[in-house]
Amino acid sequence: MNTFKFWKGKSPRAVNIAQDFLGEIIEHKDAAIDATAGNGNDTLYLAEHVGPGGTVYAFDIQEYSINQTASCLEKAGLDQRAVLISCGHENMESILINEYSCRSCKAAIFNLGYLPGSDKCVKTNSETTISAVNQALSLLVPGGRLSVVVYRGHDGAEEESREVNDLILNLDPKKYWAASINFPNRDLQSPYVILVQKTVGV
């Protein structure tokens, strides 16, 4: 595992770590999930890695985010590698299986909180996040990975953070490897990263 590498000339952001953790294992023709499409940066990253034969399934409840993500992909010429789904990620498993015949994925990424520059009232919450993370874990193939960037500076973030941490803490260690990366010399409200890999052979 080469995730903990050095970033030349700059300190790594939480999202860099989350992306690189997934990028290490994604191969062409894989399926990946962006559970919180936002401005499309994670979707674009995954689309670059799944190659021309792979597919990224990106979820977001905001039409603005879906449009931004579509624009981001089109500019990069990668729009054919992604399916944009205007729906809450708590419906992930049923939509992927029933509408796209997708029963597994190699990687999944979550960026919790609200989309910077948009309505702060529209944000992830503990109930739907926990449901979506559980579904994403279920969809992971053996050796597949999940990353969650957890933000702490908005209303409801403390509860969401606590419940996500509890979920990860209680994962069966025989089935999952898990780690959390914090930045102790930064602001206490700075984001942190959760990394999970499903055990090979499960």
Side-chain angles (χ1 to χ4, degrees), residues 33 92-93 96 102-105 135-141:
I33 296 170
M92 174 192 305
E93 195 166 23
L96 292 183
C102 175
R103 298 181 178 277
S104 63
C105 69
Q135 290 175 52
L137 289 170
S138 176
L139 288 164
L140 284 182
V141 297

Side-chain angles (χ1 to χ4, degrees), residues 33-189:
I33 296 170
D34 182 356
T36 47
N39 280 319
N41 296 323
D42 289 336
T43 305
L44 176 61
Y45 180 89
L46 294 174
E48 291 170 342
H49 283 70
V50 298
T55 305
V56 180
Y57 298 94
F59 292 82
D60 210 290
I61 60 172
Q62 298 185 83
E63 196 63 32
Y64 170 81
S65 292
I66 295 296
N67 292 335
Q68 285 290 102
T69 301
S71 177
C72 183
L73 291 165
E74 287 169 7
K75 288 179 182 178
L78 299 177
D79 49 305
Q80 297 302 311
R81 299 184 188 182
V83 175
L84 307 184
I85 303 168
S86 184
C87 186
H89 52 204
E90 69 275 16
N91 301 299
M92 174 192 305
E93 195 166 23
S94 62
I95 288 176
L96 292 183
I97 293 174
N98 297 322
E99 296 186 23
Y100 298 100
S101 298
C102 175
R103 298 181 178 277
S104 63
C105 69
K106 190 69 165 293
I109 192 168
F110 288 74
N111 260 293
L112 305 184
Y114 61 87
L115 178 63
S118 68
D119 186 355
K120 293 184 179 181
C121 293
V122 181
K123 56 186 181 293
T124 58
N125 64 77
S126 57
E127 182 178 356
T128 55
T129 294
I130 294 302
S131 175
V133 170
N134 273 318
Q135 290 175 52
L137 289 170
S138 176
L139 288 164
L140 284 182
V141 297
R145 292 180 178 181
L146 174 145
S147 62
V148 185
V149 179
V150 184
Y151 291 86
R152 297 180 279 190
H154 58 278
D155 290 342
E158 184 177 346
E159 178 186 359
E160 185 175 39
S161 172
R162 182 175 61 252
E163 294 203 19
V164 171
N165 289 340
D166 286 345
L167 186 160
I168 301 303
L169 181 66
N170 287 290
L171 289 177
D172 186 343
K174 294 181 180 179
K175 295 182 179 180
Y176 299 96
W177 172 94
S180 179
I181 300 178
N182 290 279
F183 303 90
N185 62 337
R186 297 183 184 175
D187 187 282
L188 291 177
Q189 292 188 335

